Amino acid sequence: MFCDKAISARIARHFAELTLDALPEATLHATRRALLDAVGVMLGATGLGEDAAPYRRHAEAVPGPSRLIGFSGLSTPALAALANGALAHQLDFGDTFDAGPAHPNAALVPALLALAGARSELAFGEFLVAMAAGSDLACRLSIAAPRPFEEGGWYPPPLVNLIATAAACAQFIGLDADGIRHAMGLALLQGSFPSEIKYDPSSPIRGVREGLVARAAVEAALLAEAGATAFAEPLEGRAGFFAVYTGGAPRDALLDGLGESFLSDQVSFKPWPACRGTHPYIEAALVLRDRIDPARVVRIGAETGPIQEMLIRPQPVKAEPTRAIEAKFSIPYTVAAALIDGAVTLDSFSALRIADPATRTLAHKVVERRNPDWGRSEAASGSLTVTFDDGTMLTHRVMQAAGHPDRPMDDESLIAKFIDCAAHAAQPITPAAARTLALQILGFPAEKPAHTLIDQAACTAKV
């Protein structure tokens, strides 16, 4: 544990002093890949994410300079961040940091895009620096807690994003270390993300929550720019971030290698549009599928630990989801869909597909097999053991789900995912136009104004 009483100041100074030249080439490319993935997922959500619509309508009512992704509307930076951020996690298809409970770019990208749209003088290189630093900090915060956030009743992904995104926004608009530190404190004042977000299956907040984070982060940065101040020690203070949300001082992971290594290089990109915890089971089902006759299946045992518990309990409810968000958080449904269709795609979560009787019958056979030795480190692990009517069995175990840096999606796979998401946008983008946009994001010149990339995306969305 740290005895350092200047943790917030040190992190703020790191943000303020970081330059494009200091970023490793691998980090720059990883950041571009994360941007490509985030923009694609947001575009797809404009057509499929009905829960995000109220946030867009709210933003459209107030004119401003910042674009609403996938639509023709403009709004203020804070409200554009709200509307676009509500899209970012709506499909549960954005990137994850498997080592900690984080989706480090879900609020960060929409917040920075909103500010870029309002500040024509900001270069794309500055965008990449802010994004790399913010994503890295969100990952660090997620693994630095001395006890799980959930033990205090808090939901960690939006909490870590709140602080990290505020720091990144403040750095992006040119604030010094003091301004960045106060932006983190001003964001802290706007944070309340209880675990009820994941416990209430009827709530849409799980999918749109990052919009609230992005708005708060932009507001915090703009307030700090205007001269507002908050706390000297927003992170390590006696009642600061770590004391309130994690019950103690941060672990060494918060500062170890800060500025030398970037945990944002280690994010996982999702091959399938569902909760990351379902992915090893989807993968196992797809591996076993050619050897399985669903009519002969008696039982499918899903090996689980405490992290996967919410994805399979209560089993009868998880086997019969009624909405897309329920199906995306269901091991029984995603396994059954994978076995029947041979794929899990954005179309797997349509109302008609979810209601399929054969899928529900098979989903009821997917039951929990608890492994008492599993914990947080097995969050992206899982196995399936299929028992047939003659007593024979098939097993496949996945200890690290596909998409992790150890089993990465290559650039071409990410481009294909982007093309698929863009085709589902409210204003669908042709495959050729989507590919062109994807390549622009991966190769956009650092010296060009960041807002021009947003304008190109907006124009492409009308093709």
Side-chain angles (χ1 to χ4, degrees), residues 63-427:
S66 300
R67 290 191 178 276
L68 304 182
I69 296 295
F71 298 95
S72 59
L74 298 167
S75 190
T76 67
L79 289 180
L82 173 71
N84 295 335
L87 297 169
H89 196 63
Q90 176 78 108
L91 302 182
D92 218 301
F93 210 3
D95 60 23
T96 71
F97 180 56
D98 288 346
H103 298 280
N105 296 297
L108 179 61
V109 169
L112 293 176
L113 288 176
L115 287 170
R119 306 277 178 119
S120 60
E121 72 277 10
L122 296 174
F124 185 58
E126 295 172 290
F127 184 105
L128 292 174
V129 172
M131 184 175 167
S135 183
D136 174 59
L137 180 57
C139 294
R140 290 174 179 276
L141 289 167
S142 74
I143 59 173
R147 74 173 190 198
F149 290 84
E150 293 90 342
E151 285 188 12
W154 301 109
Y155 192 46
L159 285 172
V160 300
N161 285 353
L162 179 67
I163 301 300
T165 302
C169 287
Q171 191 257 22
F172 186 41
I173 63 175
L175 301 194
D176 62 12
D178 278 345
I180 293 168
R181 179 166 52 86
H182 285 301
M184 289 192 288
L186 291 164
L188 180 61
L189 287 164
Q190 302 178 70
S192 177
F193 294 94
S195 283
E196 194 64 16
I197 289 172
K198 69 177 182 179
Y199 294 142
D200 182 351
S202 66
S203 173
I205 295 298
R206 184 163 48 191
V208 299
R209 63 178 192 248
E210 300 299 337
L212 300 170
V213 178
R215 177 201 56 77
V218 169
E219 290 278 22
L222 294 177
L223 282 168
E225 183 182 42
T229 60
F231 312 114
E233 299 175 341
L235 298 181
E236 72 276 25
R238 184 172 66 179
F241 179 84
F242 281 98
V244 170
Y245 295 119
T246 72
R251 299 167 59 198
D252 292 348
L254 181 63
L255 295 183
D256 278 354
L258 183 69
E260 300 168 5
S261 61
F262 290 82
L263 298 186
S264 47
D265 295 1
Q266 300 177 28
V267 300
S268 300
F269 296 101
K270 290 187 175 183
W272 303 290
C275 175
R276 181 64 170 162
T278 67
H279 284 204
Y281 306 95
I282 293 172
E283 185 175 346
L286 294 175
V287 169
L288 295 174
R289 180 175 183 265
D290 289 344
R291 292 181 283 166
I292 293 176
D293 175 2
R296 295 188 53 224
V297 172
V298 174
R299 182 179 187 274
I300 302 175
E303 184 180 18
T304 65
I307 302 299
Q308 296 89 351
E309 183 177 291
M310 63 171 285
L311 302 174
I312 202 165
R313 298 182 183 178
Q315 199 280 341
V317 175
K318 291 294 183 179
E320 296 193 10
T322 59
R323 302 174 66 232
I325 194 168
E326 296 170 12
K328 288 171 179 283
F329 280 77
S330 168
I331 291 171
Y333 174 79
T334 52
V335 166
L339 289 173
I340 290 174
D341 296 342
V344 175
T345 69
L346 290 168
D347 296 325
S348 299
F349 300 97
S350 69
L352 185 63
R353 181 67 192 81
I354 291 170
D356 175 60
T359 304
R360 290 191 168 189
T361 296
L362 188 58
H364 276 288
K365 298 178 182 180
V366 181
V367 297
E368 181 178 15
R369 183 168 61 84
R370 191 63 169 261
N371 185 330
D373 297 326
W374 277 14
R376 173 72 236 175
S377 60
E378 287 79 27
S381 304
S383 76
L384 294 179
T385 299
V386 183
T387 303
F388 297 99
D389 52 11
D390 62 357
T392 59
M393 303 170 74
L394 283 176
T395 297
H396 188 77
R397 200 180 210 197
V398 177
M399 289 309 295
Q400 180 59 67
H404 185 271
D406 292 341
R407 305 182 60 209
M409 294 178 69
D410 60 20
D411 286 359
E412 193 55 42
S413 297
L414 279 179
I415 290 171
K417 175 180 172 179
F418 182 91
I419 291 170
D420 181 43
C421 286
H424 286 82
Q427 301 178 50

